[in-house]
């Protein structure tokens, strides 16, 4: 049996395990013809429809990245992994270099259009609608795989599954299967260590992981910042530019997972300490400001696998707690700042322009889903859920008034006053969805679904989906996909009343997007496979902060209009020999502001990624990868030349001594390419620098 036929066989077996009769499936080969090694070579996903499906038959354009892929990349942080996904570009923001995950050219300052899940549970803040600005990265030793939907996911996942969905799946005790300890050291005074233990003990599956990393961050230079502009206007010279971007941080990550029969419980902690502010909170370099964040997530799931004939269900409750705490004064502008409002109208801040916003947040999500597979041709999934979230203890100390003049009392707390940056708010919502997987012919399947969400602060929304999948031949699959998604306005966008630079708008409507996709997967031979898709989308009521034009630098959140985008993505995997694998992808996108009929800008129109994994000895592997990011156009109104394309080359070697010892050495950006990502013309005219050449060595031991 060829590899192509075996891939098709897995489609049969997995579908049968999920409720299909054997003669109802797309292909007729038996799963038992597959060896364990061959099974391990075939990728499956559950993110697209909630049930395990071979990647080529999934009801969405999906990428799966395994723990082995992560190791072959030499990746130490999730951002490095996500940058290899076609159609997804990772770009640093001006807020502590918080990563923005741009799917298919859908760009924004806060990046709330991407939903991140950890084991299927949303990881997001109500305040900003994203993963929290005090992010600090995510280490990877506890990650089993990462599943990514490129395109809408609101029909299953609700709010913010707008441009794409990222699900990080951590290792169970069975997958850890032993005790591992390791350490890594490298450039920028980086030290990291980890300890993982897991296994199956009778009816219990127990896994625990602890990871730590401390780094000073890279020290690339920012030549000009927002304070440079103030200096030019006021005749002062207090800017820290030229100066290095400030990216130091300490990361602690703890995860515990326990499974007992039908129960599964997880507990996670993400601690971020001494996190510096990158180019500064408002793009004026601040070598002193630091933040802290604590994130706790917990979930409990019970599977009713034998609820009735052909009926299974699961119930889940999850809890999230997150904070943003200033650890030291954050200098929005440095000591000696003079702000010029008009000729003869100035405000002096000899101690600096200081603002220290903080908050705490918690939320609870309860949901139940069921799957009925008693019909010959249908699998019907139903779900119901309720969400409650609360942003509380919003705090702020500052030494300026809402009109940007010095406070008479200097640095003061404005918590529990109308001058605090964000009022305390809560939100509730409830939802229900239905999905039908209908195999109406042996080689055809239609997955359709509809989800209804109701929010306490802005109303209701409905989001449908449809995926027509045709197993054209045993080795070729075609898909026609449609989906609508929405993005709920964040609390910052709705309710901020006393921020010096951005104001909320309680009349905002949610953003919506309609996406159409045509996709193909072809197993050309046992050595070559490829997939290709074409997409088109239209966005309504896109939210951005537009200038108030009131003589201050303030802007307000508004539904500013429409965008459209289109493009294509191509993935290829080649196995020239049993020892050598080549993986490559290419993506093209064009995103247009319909009101101006211009490219939205700030995202590459073209991307290419290539990786080679070569096992030149059973104990040695050589890995190389090239990431090319094409020219990035400027947004409308930005007259600077387009940002040049750049290519970075990484290479590494790994050594294994059985399953007991693993050592690696990786060099990143070998040729020390001077790469930059877009920064605002008004504050960072020379853009945001990326890391130069770096080197990392690691050693892991299994007891």
């Amino acid at each position: 049996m060829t590899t192509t036929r075996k891939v098709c066989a897995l489609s049969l077996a997995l579908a049968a395990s999920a409720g299909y009769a054997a003669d109802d499936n797309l292909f007729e080969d038996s799963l038992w013809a597959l060896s364990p090694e061959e099974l391990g070579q075939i990728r499956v996903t559950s993110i697209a429809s909630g049930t395990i499906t071979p990647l080529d038959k999934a009801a969405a354009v999906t990428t799966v990245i395994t723990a082995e892929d992560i190791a072959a990349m030499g990746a130490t942080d999730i951002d490095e992994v996500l940058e290899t996904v076609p159609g997804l570009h990772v770009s640093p923001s001006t807020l502590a270099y918080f990563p923005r995950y741009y799917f298919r050219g859908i760009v924004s300052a806060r990046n709330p259009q991407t939903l991140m899940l950890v084991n299927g549970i949303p990881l997001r803040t109500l305040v900003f609608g994203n993963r929290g600005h005090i992010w600090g990265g995510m280490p990877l030793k506890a990650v089993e795989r990462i599943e990514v939907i490129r395109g809408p996911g609101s029909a299953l996942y609700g709010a913010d599954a707008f441009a794409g969905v990222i699900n990080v799946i951590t290792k169970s005790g069975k997958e850890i299967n032993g005790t591992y300890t390791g350490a890594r050291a490298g450039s920028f005074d980086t030290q990291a260590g980890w300890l993982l233990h897991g296994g199956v003990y009778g009816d219990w599956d127990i896994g625990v992981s602890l990871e730590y990393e401390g780094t000073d961050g890279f020290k690339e230079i920012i030549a000009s910042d927002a304070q440079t502009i103030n200096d030019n206007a006021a005749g002062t010279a207090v800017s820290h530019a030229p100066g290095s971007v400030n990216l130091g941080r300490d990361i602690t990550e703890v995860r515990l997972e326990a499974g007992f029969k039908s129960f599964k419980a997880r507990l996670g902690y993400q601690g971020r300490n001494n996190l510096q502010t990158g180019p500064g909170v408002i793009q004026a370099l601040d070598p002193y400001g630091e933040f802290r964040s604590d994130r706790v997530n917990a979930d409990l799931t019970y599977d009713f696998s034998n609820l009735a004939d052909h009926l299974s269900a699961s119930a889940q409750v999850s809890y999230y707690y997150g904070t943003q705490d200033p650890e030291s004064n954050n200098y929005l502008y440095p000591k000696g700042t003079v702000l010029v409002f008009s000729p003869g109208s100035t405000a002096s801040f000899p101690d600096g322009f200081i603002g220290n916003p903080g908050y705490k947040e918690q939320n609870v999500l309860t949901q139940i889903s069921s799957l009925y597979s008693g019909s010959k041709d249908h699998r019907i999934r139903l779900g119901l859920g309720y969400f409650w979230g609360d942003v509380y203890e919003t705090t702020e100390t500052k030494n300026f008034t809402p009109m940007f003049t010095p406070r008479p009392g200097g640095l003061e707390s404005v918590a529990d006053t109308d001058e605090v940056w964000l009022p305390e708010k809560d939100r509730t919502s409830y939802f229900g969805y239905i999905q039908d997987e209908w195999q109406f012919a042996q080689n055809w399947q239609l997955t359709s679904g509809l989800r209804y969400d109701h929010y306490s602060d802005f109303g209701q929304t409905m989001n449908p989906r449809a995926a027509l999948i045709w197993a054209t031949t045993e080795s070729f699959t075609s898909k026609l996909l449609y989906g609508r998604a929405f993005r709920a306005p964040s609390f910052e966008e709705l309710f901020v009343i006393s921020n010096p630079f951005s104001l909320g708008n309680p009349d905002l409507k949610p953003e919506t997007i309609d996406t159409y996709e045509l996709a193909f997967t072809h197993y050309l031979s046992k050595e070559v496979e490829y997939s290709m898709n074409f997409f088109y989308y239209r966005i309504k009521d896109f939210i951005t902060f537009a200038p108030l034009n009131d003589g201050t630098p303030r802007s307000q959140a508004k539904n500013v209009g429409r965008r459209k985008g289109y493009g294509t993505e191509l993935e290829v995997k080649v196995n020239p020999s049993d020892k050598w694998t080549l993986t490559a992808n290419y993506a093209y996108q064009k995103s247009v502001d319909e009101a101006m009929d211009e490219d939205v800008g700030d995202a590459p129109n073209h991307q290419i990624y290539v990786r080679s994994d070569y096992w030149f000895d059973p104990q040695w592997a050589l890995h190389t990868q090239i990431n090319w990011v094409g020219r990035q156009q400027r947004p409308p109104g930005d007259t600077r030349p387009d940002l040049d394309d750049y290519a970075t080359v990484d290479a590494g070697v790994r050594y294994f001594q059985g399953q007991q010892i693993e050592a690696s050495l990786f060099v990143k950006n070998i040729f020390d390419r001077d790469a930059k990502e877009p920064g605002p013309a008004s504050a960072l005219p020379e853009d945001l620098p990326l890391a130069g050449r770096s080197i990392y060595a690691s050693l892991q031991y299994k007891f």
Side-chain angles (χ1 to χ4, degrees):
M1 183 186 292
T2 67
T3 300
T4 297
R5 299 274 298 173
K6 293 173 182 176
V7 171
C8 300
L10 187 62
S11 301
L12 163 71
L14 288 172
S17 69
Y20 283 119
D23 59 359
D24 291 332
N25 286 279
L26 302 176
F27 303 99
E28 298 179 354
D29 291 327
S30 170
L31 172 67
W32 312 117
L34 297 169
S35 70
E37 293 78 12
E38 291 163 337
L39 276 170
Q41 296 173 3
I42 301 173
R43 301 195 180 196
V44 297
T45 182
S46 61
I47 192 174
S49 62
T51 51
I52 297 175
T53 312
L55 203 57
D56 63 322
K57 305 298 189 297
V61 176
T62 309
T63 296
V64 175
I65 302 165
T66 66
E68 173 56 28
D69 289 324
I70 293 170
M73 295 171 192
T76 60
D77 183 83
I78 193 170
D79 296 348
E80 300 173 65
V81 177
L82 296 177
E83 178 64 17
T84 71
V85 176
L88 170 56
H89 178 55
V90 181
S91 182
S93 74
T94 57
L95 298 165
Y97 264 49
F98 163 79
R100 295 174 291 188
Y101 303 144
Y102 290 159
F103 282 91
R104 296 173 170 177
I106 299 175
V107 302
S108 62
R110 273 64 166 176
N111 190 222
Q113 292 85 9
T114 296
L115 178 63
M116 176 171 278
L117 311 171
V118 178
N119 297 312
I121 307 298
L123 178 63
R124 63 180 168 213
T125 70
L126 288 172
V127 175
F128 302 112
N130 56 26
R131 300 159 297 283
H133 295 324
I134 314 306
W135 174 244
M138 179 182 284
L140 298 165
K141 288 299 179 181
V143 173
E144 175 63 20
R145 68 186 186 277
I146 301 170
E147 300 183 355
V148 181
I149 290 178
R150 308 189 311 267
S154 286
L156 270 184
Y157 300 105
D160 311 329
F162 187 88
V165 183
I166 301 164
N167 188 24
V168 180
I169 301 169
T170 58
K171 294 175 180 177
S172 65
K174 181 180 180 180
E175 290 161 339
I176 296 173
N177 189 32
T179 301
Y180 296 83
T181 185
R184 180 177 61 251
S187 299
F188 320 127
D189 197 21
T190 300
Q191 304 94 30
W194 57 90
L195 176 66
L196 287 78
H197 174 77
V200 177
Y201 309 93
D203 291 330
W204 287 91
D205 184 308
I206 303 291
V208 61
S209 65
L210 170 64
E211 298 181 72
Y212 168 80
E213 179 180 296
T215 181
D216 289 342
F218 62 82
K219 298 299 182 182
E220 303 298 322
I221 297 299
I222 288 180
S224 176
D225 66 356
Q227 181 57 35
T228 304
I229 298 171
N230 289 337
D231 284 345
N232 292 336
T236 54
V238 298
S239 172
H240 292 289
S244 65
V245 63
N246 303 293
L247 294 173
R249 62 189 182 274
D250 294 299
I251 297 172
T252 302
E253 194 110 349
V254 182
R255 299 200 177 273
L256 172 65
E257 180 172 323
F260 178 75
K261 295 184 178 179
S262 296
F263 282 98
K264 179 175 288 186
R266 300 186 184 97
L267 177 66
Y269 169 73
Q270 295 177 300
R272 305 295 183 260
N273 297 295
N274 309 315
L275 190 141
Q276 296 179 311
T277 60
V281 173
I282 56 173
Q283 297 89 66
L285 286 174
D286 174 14
Y288 313 110
E290 292 181 345
F291 280 90
R292 171 190 175 92
S293 174
D294 295 296
R295 295 191 290 268
V296 177
N297 61 279
D299 62 90
L300 177 65
T301 303
Y302 184 79
D303 288 322
F304 302 89
S305 55
N306 298 310
L307 193 61
D309 288 343
H310 307 292
L311 179 64
S312 61
S314 67
Q316 185 178 72
V317 58
S318 63
Y319 173 78
Y320 169 84
Y321 167 83
T323 69
Q324 174 180 296
D325 296 311
E327 287 193 303
S328 61
N329 284 336
N330 288 272
Y331 291 86
L332 308 187
Y333 294 119
K335 294 179 180 180
T337 290
V338 176
L339 299 181
V340 178
F341 303 117
S342 62
S345 176
T346 63
S348 298
F349 292 87
D351 295 325
F353 192 87
I354 301 172
N356 301 312
Y359 69 88
K360 294 181 180 178
E361 175 181 344
Q362 59 182 338
N363 64 59
V364 176
L365 174 65
T366 60
Q367 53 187 335
I368 184 169
S369 65
S370 63
L371 178 67
Y372 177 71
S373 56
S375 171
K376 177 181 178 182
D377 301 319
H378 294 267
R379 283 186 297 183
I380 300 173
R381 182 176 296 275
L382 296 171
L384 295 170
Y386 175 80
F387 171 87
W388 168 81
D390 184 25
V391 175
Y392 64 105
E393 291 190 23
T394 56
T395 61
E396 185 177 16
T397 58
K398 57 186 178 183
N399 66 346
F400 55 89
T401 71
M403 299 308 296
F404 300 91
T405 58
R407 299 186 70 84
L411 189 64
E412 297 177 328
S413 172
V414 295
D416 300 319
T417 75
D418 290 341
E419 291 190 36
V420 72
W421 72 286
L422 177 70
E424 297 177 0
K425 293 286 184 177
D426 61 16
R427 168 182 282 174
T428 60
S429 67
Y430 55 86
F431 63 86
Y433 65 84
I434 182 170
Q435 176 181 273
D436 177 32
E437 296 173 87
W438 175 28
Q439 189 174 343
F440 58 89
Q442 180 162 348
N443 294 346
W444 291 86
Q445 180 172 292
L446 176 65
T447 298
S448 57
L450 179 68
R451 173 163 166 152
Y452 171 82
D453 289 82
H454 185 277
Y455 281 75
S456 59
D457 47 14
F458 68 82
Q460 61 189 10
T461 178
M462 297 186 70
N463 294 274
R465 73 177 300 192
L468 182 62
I469 303 169
W470 176 29
T472 316
T473 69
E474 289 183 342
S475 61
F476 194 94
T477 302
S478 307
K479 306 179 195 178
L480 183 62
L481 312 172
Y482 164 75
R484 175 177 296 167
F486 76 103
R487 203 271 289 181
S490 69
F491 281 13
E492 178 194 33
E493 293 165 330
L494 287 168
F495 304 124
V496 163
I497 56 175
S498 188
N499 185 292
F501 299 99
S502 55
L503 297 177
N505 181 354
D507 297 324
L508 289 176
K509 296 182 289 185
E511 299 174 346
T512 60
I513 185 172
D514 291 275
T515 302
Y516 306 84
E517 300 170 274
L518 179 63
F520 307 96
T521 301
H522 188 192
Y523 293 93
L524 191 61
S525 68
K526 65 180 181 179
E527 292 87 14
V528 181
E529 62 182 83
Y530 69 90
S531 62
M532 190 172 191
N533 69 82
F534 304 88
F535 64 85
Y536 174 81
Y537 62 77
R538 297 197 72 173
I539 299 173
K540 297 180 181 179
D541 298 316
F542 194 80
I543 299 171
T544 192
F545 284 89
L548 281 176
N549 298 318
D550 61 353
T552 72
R554 293 186 302 175
S555 57
Q556 186 178 35
K558 297 180 180 179
N559 294 106
V560 296
R562 298 171 179 260
R563 294 183 179 183
K564 64 181 179 182
Y566 55 88
T568 185
E569 294 151 357
L570 171 67
E571 297 178 87
V572 180
K573 187 173 184 179
V574 182
N575 296 99
S577 71
D578 292 339
K579 298 180 179 180
W580 189 17
T581 300
L582 287 171
T583 305
N585 62 62
Y586 164 76
Y588 166 76
Q589 66 81 21
K590 179 76 171 178
S591 183
V592 176
D593 184 316
E594 293 195 62
M596 299 184 178
D597 196 27
E598 293 185 51
D599 195 292
V600 171
D602 282 350
N605 296 114
H606 301 269
Q607 291 174 262
I608 296 175
Y609 172 76
V610 181
R611 191 180 91 228
S612 168
D613 304 315
Y614 181 62
W615 294 83
F616 57 89
D617 182 89
Q619 293 180 298
W620 290 91
L622 175 66
H623 307 284
T624 56
Q625 62 180 12
I626 302 172
N627 186 56
W628 178 76
V629 175
R631 178 175 59 93
Q632 299 181 64
Q633 297 187 52
R634 300 297 186 180
D638 189 335
T639 60
R640 290 176 296 173
D642 292 343
L643 198 59
D644 288 340
D645 66 309
Y646 63 85
T648 57
V649 179
D650 305 338
V653 61
R654 291 194 293 160
Y655 167 77
F656 300 85
Q657 190 177 95
Q659 296 185 355
Q660 192 172 38
I661 295 176
E662 178 180 346
S664 69
L665 179 68
F666 278 86
V667 183
K668 301 179 181 181
N669 194 2
I670 290 175
F671 300 108
D672 201 23
R673 177 64 189 268
D674 182 17
K676 293 184 178 180
E677 283 292 313
S682 60
L684 298 170
E686 298 185 29
D687 298 300
L688 295 165
L690 300 182
R693 184 188 299 114
S694 59
I695 183 168
Y696 299 92
S698 69
L699 178 65
Q700 178 173 277
Y701 182 81
K702 180 180 180 181
F703 292 95

